[in-house]
Amino acid sequence: MSLKDLKSKSDQALASIPKAAAAGDGRAARPVTAPGATAFMQPTIDALNERAKKAEARAAEVERQLESQPTEVSLDQLDEVASRRRRLTDEQFEELKANLANNPLVHPVAVKRRANGRFEIVSGHNRVAAFRALGRNQIPVVVLDIDEEKVDRSAFYANLLQPSLPDYEKYIGFRAEQERTGVTQKVLAKEAGVSEAMLSQLFAFGDLPQATLESIRAKPDCIGMRCAYELARLAQAGKAAAVIEAVDLLAQGKLTQKEAIRHAGRITPAADRPAPPSASTVKIRSGRAQYCQYVSRGTSLRIEFRSEAERIKAQEQLDKILRALADDET
């Protein structure tokens, strides 16, 4: 029913008040005084006023629904919010653009009307970017009637279950929502419709060494939540340096996620490694002058002479001594 029809019915109902009062039911005479007439008509007036209020409420609801229906909006009227845009690789964006170049947009862009008459994008930044790249001027949108404080949350949950959204970005969204609301991971999981185990693994990104985050931010799709969970456990076990190295190699594409876990687990933390043997230095003198000095450490022996000529002369003698020792071993 259109707004015009609803208004017409309301006007007709109000105009019928005198007729309804005059008709009566034959069981009571119409009062002739003004106060009596008013009291006599009050139930009818109240009923008609209630009907009018319901008609107006229904008209407002219809108008609101009509305003939120998909419609075309000029791209120049759209304002982007960078934090809500889901990151796509160059390849993924080209696939999206190619799809929209040959097919209609199935899911309109969700927007919120601003006080200045423009629209801010809630969900659909990449679709808008693809339309711009294709040289389009307008795009289908659906206008949301949503509170300002819920806009970012709605944008996040709209992208949450997208297969191409990296686990790291899911973690960033959940962390922001938790910081904003102060709720527990259990409540977050219930609101999002995901398992607590899944959310626990996502939040493992927060337990990784800070030095790994730069590599992950640069290439968030290189690591999933299960790998992050295992690496976080290794970092907490004292292998933070090994985890940092593994994530760096992972981001460079030199390791798979399984290999990164094995790599980090294989390296012994510096604190647990045996201390290197101490060096021992011996100086050989010829009279008051130093002839040479040698430094021994573990299985190595390094000798330094005053001149190359002395080193050559000593080397000839050392060669004989070493060969003789080698013969004794046989």
Side-chain angles (χ1 to χ4, degrees), residues 304-318:
E304 295 181 358
F305 294 90
R306 290 179 298 180
S307 66
E308 184 178 5
E310 291 174 345
R311 188 268 303 168
I312 292 173
K313 183 178 178 181
Q315 185 174 338
E316 293 175 354
Q317 298 300 318
L318 286 171

Side-chain angles (χ1 to χ4, degrees), residues 189-217:
K190 184 176 180 180
E191 290 180 348
V194 300
S195 68
E196 291 181 49
M198 172 187 169
L199 204 60
S200 178
Q201 289 190 347
L202 283 175
F203 270 82
F205 280 102
D207 297 327
L208 289 172
Q210 285 294 314
T212 65
L213 300 184
E214 184 177 348
S215 297
I216 296 174
R217 279 194 293 265

Side-chain angles (χ1 to χ4, degrees), residues 26-264:
R27 291 176 291 180
R30 178 179 177 181
V32 294
T33 63
T38 301
F40 180 80
M41 293 294 298
Q42 195 60 49
T44 303
I45 294 173
D46 291 343
L48 290 172
N49 282 337
E50 185 63 26
R51 288 175 58 187
K53 288 180 182 178
K54 289 182 179 179
E56 289 174 359
R58 174 58 181 162
E61 175 64 17
V62 171
E63 183 176 4
R64 188 193 67 78
Q65 290 179 0
L66 289 173
E67 287 182 351
S68 66
Q69 292 306 305
T71 184
E72 295 249 328
V73 169
S74 170
L75 294 178
D76 294 336
Q77 289 184 277
L78 297 177
D79 296 329
E80 298 187 14
V81 182
S83 61
R84 297 178 194 157
R85 182 170 181 174
R86 181 165 55 93
R87 293 184 59 175
L88 297 180
T89 63
D90 292 341
E91 182 180 357
Q92 289 171 333
F93 182 73
E94 288 301 319
E95 289 177 355
L96 174 64
K97 190 169 70 173
N99 182 287
L100 294 177
N102 299 290
N103 300 289
L105 183 63
V106 177
H107 301 291
V109 173
V111 300
K112 175 178 172 59
R113 193 186 303 274
R114 285 184 163 174
N116 60 4
R118 296 177 61 78
F119 300 89
E120 68 176 74
I121 303 173
V122 176
S123 176
H125 287 74
N126 288 306
R127 281 165 277 169
V128 171
F131 263 54
R132 293 188 196 278
L134 292 169
R136 308 277 177 82
N137 296 319
Q138 293 188 315
I139 191 168
V141 301
V142 58
V143 182
L144 301 179
D145 182 12
I146 187 171
D147 294 336
E148 186 64 33
E149 63 271 15
K150 295 181 180 179
V151 173
D152 287 333
R153 179 183 179 189
S154 298
F156 168 62
Y157 281 125
N159 291 326
L160 176 62
L161 298 180
Q162 293 291 333
S164 58
L165 184 67
D167 286 345
Y168 176 71
E169 293 191 6
K170 292 178 183 178
Y171 156 68
I172 293 297
F174 273 119
R175 188 187 67 184
E177 180 65 10
Q178 186 179 53
E179 291 174 351
R180 187 185 68 81
T181 61
V183 300
T184 64
Q185 288 187 27
K186 182 176 183 179
V187 174
L188 278 179
K190 184 176 180 180
E191 290 180 348
V194 300
S195 68
E196 291 181 49
M198 172 187 169
L199 204 60
S200 178
Q201 289 190 347
L202 283 175
F203 270 82
F205 280 102
D207 297 327
L208 289 172
Q210 285 294 314
T212 65
L213 300 184
E214 184 177 348
S215 297
I216 296 174
R217 279 194 293 265
K219 196 172 181 182
D221 56 347
C222 75
I223 181 172
M225 59 183 176
R226 291 180 178 82
C227 180
Y229 178 77
E230 293 298 332
L231 290 177
R233 290 178 59 190
L234 290 170
Q236 292 170 345
K239 297 189 175 184
V243 168
I244 293 170
E245 180 180 318
V247 171
D248 184 51
L249 294 171
L250 185 60
Q252 294 178 43
K254 296 180 179 180
L255 293 178
T256 66
Q257 294 188 55
K258 288 184 178 180
E259 289 170 343
I261 296 171
R262 289 198 296 268
H263 180 85

Side-chain angles (χ1 to χ4, degrees), residues 251-290:
Q252 294 178 43
K254 296 180 179 180
L255 293 178
T256 66
Q257 294 188 55
K258 288 184 178 180
E259 289 170 343
I261 296 171
R262 289 198 296 268
H263 180 85
R266 214 168 32 233
I267 299 176
T268 304
D272 296 339
R273 294 173 191 164
S278 58
S280 175
T281 302
V282 177
K283 297 180 179 180
I284 306 297
R285 295 184 176 276
S286 175
R288 288 187 167 184
Q290 179 175 304

